[in-house]
Structures are given as C-alpha cells and as structure tokens.
Amino acid sequence: MLIRSIETFQVAVPLTKPFKTALRTVHTAYAVYVKVSGDNGYVGWGEAPPTHVITGDSLGSITYAIEEVIAPQLIGLDIRQPEVLFSTLKRSIVRNTSAKAAVDMALHDLRGQLAGMPLYQLLGGYRHELETDFTVSVNDSAEMADDAERYIANGFNVLKVKVGIGEMSEDIGRIKAIRDRIGSAPKIRLDANQGWNAKAAVRAIGMMEDAGLDIELIEQPVPADDIEGLKYVTENTLTPIMADESVFSPKDALRILQLRAADLINIKLMKSGGIHEALKINALAESYGVECMVGSMIETKLGITAAAHFAASQPNVTRFDFDAPLMLAEDIVGGGIEYEGRLIRLPKTPGLGLISEQMDRIGKGVE
C-alpha cells in the first residue's frame, strides 16, 4: 500500500470549564487533524494540538510543516516498510514534534488496518482496558476542593492536581484542602508544570510529607532544562519525582536515566513526535527499571485514542492521564476509545478503531 495523499483540517471544540496550569489557561481545544490516504482506499487519521508553551507548535506551524515539508517526502512511500516511513518522518524536519506525531498516528492507523489488528495488539497487546486519572485545574483552594470532590463522586480514584502558581504556601494549602475534602483513599498526583525551583520544591515536598498528605508522585517540579535541579529534588525527597517536559526524545530520556534524575517518566506523543519514538523512550526506561506514564495535551478523542493504543500495548506503562476528552463540550470523533467513567476500553476494530464515515465528515469541512 502506497501513500497517495496527506491532508490537514483544523478543528476547535470548547471546554466545559477553563483548564488552568502554571503555564497557561485553555478555553478551547484547537487541533490539526491529518488524513493519510493509501492507494488501496484505506485512510489513517492523526491529531496535533498547538501547545505553544511546551512544544512551541502553533496551528499555522503544524499545518505548514505537514503540508509543505513532511507530505512531499512521504507521498509514494510504502506502508509495508515502516522503518523507511518513520526514519523519513523523523528526518523530514527538525523538532516540530506535534506535526510529526499527527502523521505518525495516521501511519500507525494504516498499519493496523493493513494488518487487520487493533493497533494496541500490533504494538504488543499487553492490555485492552486502562484507568485514567482526572485533572484538577489550579484555582483557589475552595474551588479546587469542590472540583476534586465532584470528580471523586463521579467515580475517579486518582486525581492529578495542578500546582505551581503563587506562593508555595498557597500550593500546600490547595493540597490540604483537597485531601481534607476527599479523604485518604483516593490517590493524588501533583503536577507543578515547571513552576518551582529545586530548593523550594524540596522544602515544599518535605512539608507535604511531614503533613501526611500522601502524594503518589510529583511531576516536573522544576524548569524543563534544569536537569541538575530535577536530580537534586529526586535525591532529596521521599516522594517519587516524574520527568515530563524534560523528556522529548530518547536522547533526553537517556540523560535522565543515566543521571537518575527522576524516578518516573511521562511520555506524550506530542513531545516524542509519535508512537515510533515513544516506544524507544519506554524501552529505554524499562531497561533502567523506570516505569512510565503516558499523558497528553488538551486533545480530542482522536489523539487520545492513539496514545491509549500505545499505552495499552506496553507493560512498563503503568499510569494513564487520558482525561482531556472528558473536559470537552462535544465529542466530534467517530469511534476510537470508549469511556466508562474512569475506565477506558480499547476498540476491537483494526487500526485506531475509528468510524470512517464519521471521520470523513470532518474531512469535508464539518467541524
């Protein structure tokens, strides 16, 4: 099967509630959808959201990179030669990881269809069901406690709580308010989104440990390029530390692993440039005995479906952050993963498991 065409479409879906982190506030989920068509009639789909403050990608840059740079190099290549495909994609343009990820998803969708297998089975088939956490945006402590209580009442067992804005005492107050409201049973993960410095992080985490707040892990407490600071926090706290924005590539992961700068790694397809490179990061981490979480940006169900297939295929991926579609006012994606509260079930149909007729409506301009 040869690649016949690669097209892009822009979509926008409002959130039901603003999503706030130490880096940004999001009201609408914007994305570029990618449609890759084979010469045998098969069609693969992918998604790239513009996450300026993390990947540096915008709607315009993603669209240009795919249409003007990546597509001309891939059209005419054979889906049955994956190493040719993915090495060409990787070399096609420097960085631009979101654009690469969207095309990578579509190529994997086609590979699964060609094999007649759901993608997670083609990649390893370790599990067919996942449990996602739910994210509590950073706000004042009362609003965050209200949100946390509501999510637990809706059946979620794990909360990912955003911190890193304002004084450190405010962050600790937010966590105490949430823990007081939801009790000791639910797990709490913190995500500082680079909002602290190393010494402040060690002090704050120590205070949380002394207060018995029982934090499962803390994600990216320091700026992405401060690997020494990340290592300092990891070595001087008891709570597991997860690297997120510090790890885009396998090379980044290797540095973190060799330095023992973090206890865990968060893999996101938009950072790695897609599933092909994400598999390499996970394999490296597994060889060092380091577990991974697979997370996402603010994406629609298309991008999350691809990430879920990757996550479900690998035993070393032990945590899942796939709540973004649950924050959207509308689901525009046909097929893909199915949510039953906190549980996510992988589709049994080939590839990503999308419904072609519904996806084609997007390609015809129905957004």
Side-chain angles (χ1 to χ4, degrees), residues 9-13 15 19 21 23-34 46-64 66 96-102 105 248 269-271 296-300 303 328:
F9 313 92
Q10 293 187 11
V11 301
V13 184
L15 275 67
F19 179 78
T21 75
L23 294 174
R24 60 177 181 153
T25 298
V26 181
H27 298 271
T28 302
Y30 294 98
V32 176
Y33 278 12
V34 179
E47 174 183 358
T51 315
H52 316 80
V53 294
I54 298 176
T55 65
D57 298 318
S58 67
L59 285 171
S61 70
I62 292 167
T63 301
Y64 184 90
I66 293 172
N96 286 271
T97 52
S98 298
K100 291 177 181 177
M105 290 177 194
F248 273 61
L269 300 188
M270 294 306 126
K271 294 185 301 166
S296 65
M297 309 303 183
I298 297 299
E299 304 170 36
T300 72
L328 305 183

Side-chain angles (χ1 to χ4, degrees), residues 56-270:
D57 298 318
S58 67
L59 285 171
S61 70
I62 292 167
T63 301
Y64 184 90
I66 293 172
E67 292 183 351
E68 303 297 330
V69 181
I70 296 173
Q73 298 184 57
L74 292 184
I75 290 174
L77 297 185
D78 196 329
I79 291 293
R80 294 167 297 184
Q81 296 180 290
E83 290 303 324
V84 174
L85 281 177
F86 295 117
S87 62
T88 301
L89 175 60
K90 182 179 180 180
R91 296 194 310 266
S92 64
I93 188 170
V94 176
R95 291 180 284 275
N96 286 271
T97 52
S98 298
K100 291 177 181 177
V103 176
D104 171 282
M105 290 177 194
L107 296 177
H108 276 94
D109 188 9
L110 286 170
R111 289 192 63 222
Q113 293 177 52
L114 193 61
M117 300 170 65
L119 182 57
Y120 77 93
Q121 291 184 350
L122 184 64
L123 296 176
Y126 184 70
R127 57 175 77 84
H128 66 276
E129 185 176 280
L130 311 172
E131 179 179 347
T132 184
D133 58 18
F134 203 97
T135 304
V136 180
S137 289
V138 60
N139 287 293
D140 64 69
S141 58
E143 183 175 353
M144 292 178 72
D146 288 342
D147 288 343
E149 185 177 36
R150 183 169 68 256
Y151 302 149
I152 295 300
N154 288 339
F156 291 89
N157 291 330
V158 184
L159 298 180
K160 180 176 177 178
V161 179
K162 296 290 186 178
V163 291
I165 292 181
E167 298 295 326
M168 192 66 71
S169 59
E170 295 179 72
D171 277 336
I172 295 174
R174 292 171 176 127
I175 305 308
K176 285 182 176 178
I178 290 172
R179 184 55 85 189
D180 288 344
R181 188 74 66 85
I182 66 173
S184 60
K187 291 182 180 179
I188 293 179
R189 302 167 179 165
L190 301 189
D191 186 0
N193 285 115
Q194 311 176 62
W196 299 335
N197 63 56
K199 288 189 175 181
V202 169
R203 181 170 180 269
I205 295 168
M207 293 172 66
M208 294 179 197
E209 290 169 349
D210 291 343
L213 295 179
D214 192 20
I215 305 302
E216 181 199 11
L217 61 88
I218 297 179
E219 188 174 341
Q220 200 63 47
V222 299
D225 59 357
D226 187 8
I227 306 304
E228 292 78 11
L230 185 65
K231 179 179 173 66
Y232 177 82
V233 176
T234 300
E235 290 179 340
N236 289 278
T237 55
L238 298 176
T239 303
I241 303 300
M242 175 180 286
D244 180 7
E245 290 94 339
S246 292
V247 178
F248 273 61
S249 66
K251 185 176 180 179
D252 293 338
L254 184 59
R255 184 184 180 198
I256 295 289
L257 293 164
Q258 288 177 333
L259 292 174
R260 299 289 179 180
D263 302 298
L264 302 155
I265 291 176
N266 187 354
I267 303 174
K268 293 176 181 173
L269 300 188
M270 294 306 126

